[in-house]
Amino acid sequence: MKNIILVGKPNSGKSLLFNQLTGLRQKVANFPGVTVELKSGQFGDYRLVDFPGTYSLKSLSRDEELAIEKLHEAMLSDATSLVVCNLDATRLERSLVFGLQVRDLAHKHNKGVVFSLNMIDEVQRFGHEIDTEKLSRDLGCAVYALSAKSLIGLHEFKLAIQDAAEHPEDFLPTIKADDESSVLQISRSLSKRYGLKADIVLKKQNRIDGFLLNNVLGGVMFFIIMFLLFQSIFTWASPLMDGVEMALGDMAAFVSNSLPDGIVNDFITDALFGGVGSFLVFVPQIMVLTFIIGLLEDSGYLARAALICHKPLSYFGLSGRSFIPYLSGHACAIPAIMAARTIESPRKRLITMMTIPLMSCSARLPVYALLIAVLIPDTQYLGGLLNLQGITFFILYFIGIVTALLVSVLLNKMTESDKDKADMPFILELPTYRLPHWKPLMHRVLTSGKQFIKRAGPVIFWVSVFIWVLGYFPESGELQSSYLAMIGHWIEPIFEPLGLDWRYGVAILVSFLAREVFVGALGTLFGIQGADENIAGLAANIQADGLTLGAGIGLMLFYVVALQCVATVATLKGETGSGKVAWGLFVGYGLLAYCMAWLAATFI
């Protein structure tokens, strides 16, 4: 199968164009460094390959080095039929620097080239028109104006690249620049002739940035946005969570009443609805978190947040670019660790990767939500806009961030002698403010819920079954005399200083596979013990059992810090190239988490 390769600079709408051409919903974000791997999809009879965004054929980062290396390989390959270079119509000069370099590289290897002039709707909004016929003549390549967001010109573009891929010899570049200086001169000249004036594009952006990037107001606004982000996870998701819990409770009661008493009824009630059902209640929170982060990404605010955070983060030995992996880590640590590749300094990149596991990822959400529902009253403030449970959520996230910064300081001091002799200056392109495209955003939200269930569901199911079997036999549901109780009482002395009994100890141990397993494991254990009472109300069962405030807060602090995720350990090992670093963090964070939990249980 022949390939069509798609290249372009970051923030040019390339990923959204790739989604529209292939039907795949890849992640679309409005800050540099989100695309760190090659992605491919089917386009007619061809394979469309999306290359990481880069500004020039001269690499400035590991990501760009990878993209350029793969681009050269693709140019040498007979499998490459066509090169599609995506241009940002609102920032033509910056796009053309890379575009002209790609054109000249394609000329050297006799590859056909087509330019997509993306975001043409933004240009039209300013009352400007770009003469694509004359631009095509001056570039020596076909240029097609389109908008991947509003779909303007997309159908015509699909037909054009289909034809170009079938007859690449008709789309070979007819012009080539002499050297690098002429590339810069040509891009500047073409931008002046055809593109928007910079002051028109930047006028509105600068007005907003004057407020959001203000030394005082910008910091205050950043704090408010982050607070509302974490507050919304609990507040907005509560009605959805209540609906899911009610539906599961009704289903559990119906199934239980429809089946005769016995082992099958007990298994479905305790293992399935008690274990897996307890976990499903918290999926809406994952989707709300994805929605809020998606809004920040697609609107262009995240790049500003990285700029705001650069100076304060530099005090902790980090870079402004560390903010993006840190925020991504609140969804999942694995892609966040991989996103840290965009940090140019090897030392800051390593510190960032080592502290990302302290960000409260979505797998912790079920644990936090369960324990907050047990321990914290649902007190409302400001007419229900804020509540005490949501504030507690924010505090837990804040503790994780503060711990990460303190650990960063320690790691910075420990590696003082390894400081980079010449760190590159912090450079970040600020994309234009844009309204998020609702369709990819909502698809991303739904996909996050599906992927969370798909990733964690099978693990929780088998762990729930395993725990149910050990907890049900040999006395047919007598938990205290079960095999699981024997194992639990053996490990109980480890968790007793934390104010926790053997049931919590078992749940903590099995949750190393995935943190969210903790909820499913407790759901199964309390389901067996509850014997049909309060089928889907795990929080009510724990409250009735008498979990103390100190032990509960200690348990939350334990999960804030502990590296309870085998997949994250494996990712750290792969990205750092060191098993000692990965397992050292697992042990170190585990001991720190235990000490914090012990202090809470002892003094609260």
Side-chain angles (χ1 to χ4, degrees):
M1 180 182 290
K2 290 283 188 176
N3 294 334
I4 300 173
I5 64 175
L6 177 62
V7 297
K9 79 174 188 68
N11 303 310
S12 63
K14 178 174 64 67
S15 294
L16 181 55
L17 177 60
F18 174 73
N19 292 341
Q20 300 287 20
L21 293 175
T22 63
L24 297 178
R25 270 34 176 210
Q26 299 294 334
K27 186 174 177 61
V28 182
N30 229 358
F31 53 83
V34 70
T35 308
V36 293
E37 295 178 335
L38 298 180
K39 297 171 184 176
S40 63
Q42 195 76 17
F43 176 74
D45 296 328
Y46 297 89
R47 179 189 294 111
L48 184 65
V49 184
D50 181 24
F51 278 67
T54 182
Y55 292 98
S56 169
L57 288 182
K58 288 189 174 182
S59 61
L60 294 175
S61 67
R62 290 179 65 189
D63 272 4
E64 290 192 346
E65 185 179 346
L66 168 67
I68 294 164
E69 179 185 326
K70 294 297 181 182
L71 179 58
H72 281 287
E73 290 178 7
M75 290 292 188
L76 290 169
S77 173
D78 293 334
T80 301
S81 179
L82 182 70
V83 180
V84 176
C85 185
N86 189 63
L87 304 176
D88 180 353
T90 64
R91 298 184 175 187
L92 200 55
E93 182 178 343
R94 296 182 188 180
S95 294
L96 280 173
V97 171
F98 179 61
L100 290 170
Q101 291 176 335
V102 170
R103 181 200 68 180
D104 295 347
L105 187 64
H107 184 278
K108 177 182 177 181
H109 294 285
N110 291 316
K111 299 294 183 184
V113 178
V114 167
F115 284 99
S116 55
L117 190 61
N118 206 345
M119 302 187 191
I120 199 66
D121 56 331
E122 295 284 330
V123 173
Q124 293 173 352
R125 189 163 57 86
F126 288 107
H128 185 77
E129 293 291 334
I130 296 178
D131 191 332
T132 54
E133 289 188 12
K134 290 183 179 180
L135 181 59
S136 299
R137 181 196 63 203
D138 291 344
L139 283 174
C141 298
V143 178
Y144 298 92
L146 58 90
S147 169
K149 180 180 177 181
S150 63
L151 307 184
I152 295 173
L154 189 64
H155 177 69
E156 294 80 1
F157 181 66
K158 288 181 179 180
L159 296 176
I161 59 174
Q162 183 79 31
D163 179 57
E166 291 174 0
H167 306 96
E169 66 279 358
D170 297 335
F171 291 83
L172 297 176
T174 58
I175 301 175
K176 183 181 183 299
D178 296 326
D179 52 35
E180 184 178 348
S181 61
S182 62
V183 165
L184 296 174
Q185 291 172 2
I186 294 169
S187 63
R188 188 173 295 114
S189 173
L190 292 176
S191 177
K192 285 182 178 179
R193 195 178 311 165
Y194 299 107
L196 276 170
K197 291 182 179 180
D199 58 341
I200 295 177
V201 179
L202 295 176
K203 187 175 181 181
K204 182 179 179 181
Q205 179 178 317
N206 288 342
R207 190 163 58 246
I208 301 173
D209 283 342
F211 172 70
L212 290 179
L213 298 181
N214 181 274
N215 288 337
V216 177
L217 295 177
V220 173
M221 195 64 194
F222 171 79
F223 183 82
I224 292 173
I225 290 172
M226 292 300 108
F227 177 79
L228 292 177
L229 187 158
F230 299 121
Q231 172 74 209
S232 65
I233 294 171
F234 201 93
T235 306
W236 293 5
S238 289
L240 294 173
M241 293 171 64
D242 292 341
V244 172
E245 184 172 17
M246 187 180 299
L248 288 171
D250 292 342
M251 288 173 60
F254 175 77
V255 172
S256 179
N257 295 331
S258 302
L259 294 173
D261 292 339
I263 189 171
V264 174
N265 193 324
D266 292 341
F267 173 76
I268 293 175
T269 301
D270 303 336
L272 297 187
F273 285 103
V276 181
S278 298
F279 147 76
L280 291 175
V281 169
F282 302 101
V283 173
Q285 289 183 322
I286 312 300
M287 299 171 69
V288 170
L289 174 64
T290 305
F291 176 74
I292 299 298
I293 292 180
L295 285 177
L296 296 177
E297 288 176 351
D298 294 350
S299 66
Y301 181 74
L302 276 196
R304 275 82 182 172
L307 188 61
I308 292 169
C309 292
H310 175 65
K311 188 173 182 179
L313 286 176
S314 64
Y315 294 134
F316 300 95
L318 299 168
S319 160
R321 288 185 180 271
S322 301
F323 170 76
I324 294 167
Y326 270 8
L327 187 62
S328 300
H330 287 97
C332 181
I334 295 170
I337 291 169
M338 297 174 70
R341 297 173 185 171
T342 59
I343 302 170
E344 293 87 350
S345 164
R347 184 166 163 276
K348 292 177 180 178
R349 182 167 58 246
L350 179 62
I351 293 175
T352 301
M353 287 192 291
M354 292 174 71
T355 50
I356 281 173
L358 292 168
M359 301 298 111
S360 291
C361 65
S362 57
R364 290 175 168 102
L365 278 178
V367 181
Y368 292 171
L370 173 65
L371 295 174
I372 287 173
V374 171
L375 301 169
I376 309 299
D378 186 19
T379 306
Q380 304 288 325
Y381 303 103
L382 300 178
L385 181 63
L386 302 178
N387 66 45
L388 186 58
Q389 293 181 332
I391 293 171
T392 307
F393 241 118
F394 173 76
I395 292 172
L396 290 174
Y397 278 93
F398 185 73
I399 290 172
I401 294 169
V402 170
T403 306
L405 294 177
L406 294 176
V407 172
S408 296
V409 171
L410 179 62
L411 293 174
N412 192 37
K413 294 293 183 183
M414 291 172 61
T415 57
E416 193 79 32
S417 60
D418 299 328
K419 274 191 175 179
D420 304 324
K421 294 181 179 178
D423 263 359
M424 291 185 62
F426 177 68
I427 301 174
L428 188 67
E429 180 186 14
L430 297 181
T432 55
Y433 289 101
R434 299 173 191 138
L435 289 174
H437 193 207
W438 67 269
K439 193 173 181 180
L441 178 59
M442 294 312 298
H443 189 279
R444 192 190 315 173
V445 169
L446 294 173
T447 300
S448 69
K450 292 178 184 176
Q451 289 179 341
F452 188 70
I453 294 172
K454 186 176 180 181
R455 176 178 62 84
V459 177
I460 290 176
F461 172 78
W462 289 114
V463 168
S464 297
V465 170
F466 177 72
I467 290 176
W468 182 84
V469 169
L470 291 179
Y472 194 81
F473 295 102
E475 298 292 335
S476 298
E478 292 294 331
L479 186 61
Q480 291 298 333
S481 56
S482 67
Y483 297 126
L484 189 62
M486 298 176 194
I487 298 171
H489 288 305
W490 183 69
I491 64 171
E492 191 171 32
I494 300 173
F495 299 97
E496 207 166 17
L498 309 184
L500 304 172
D501 63 24
W502 64 271
R503 294 168 300 177
Y504 294 94
V506 169
I508 289 171
L509 287 181
V510 297
S511 68
F512 174 60
L513 295 171
R515 294 180 181 93
E516 57 271 36
V517 170
F518 175 84
V519 175
L522 274 188
T524 303
L525 286 166
F526 277 92
I528 297 172
Q529 189 176 44
D532 296 344
E533 293 180 11
N534 230 340
I535 292 173
L538 177 56
N541 283 335
I542 294 176
Q543 280 179 329
D545 189 64
L547 179 68
T548 65
L549 179 63
I553 291 176
L555 193 52
M556 285 193 281
L557 291 175
F558 180 88
Y559 274 96
V560 167
V561 176
L563 211 173
Q564 291 286 98
C565 179
V566 67
T568 300
V569 174
T571 303
L572 279 169
K573 183 177 181 296
E575 290 295 305
T576 62
S578 171
K580 289 183 179 179
V581 169
W583 289 107
L585 287 176
F586 169 71
V587 173
Y589 287 154
L591 291 174
L592 177 60
Y594 187 92
C595 292
M596 292 175 68
W598 176 79
L599 288 171
T602 303
F603 296 103
I604 295 180

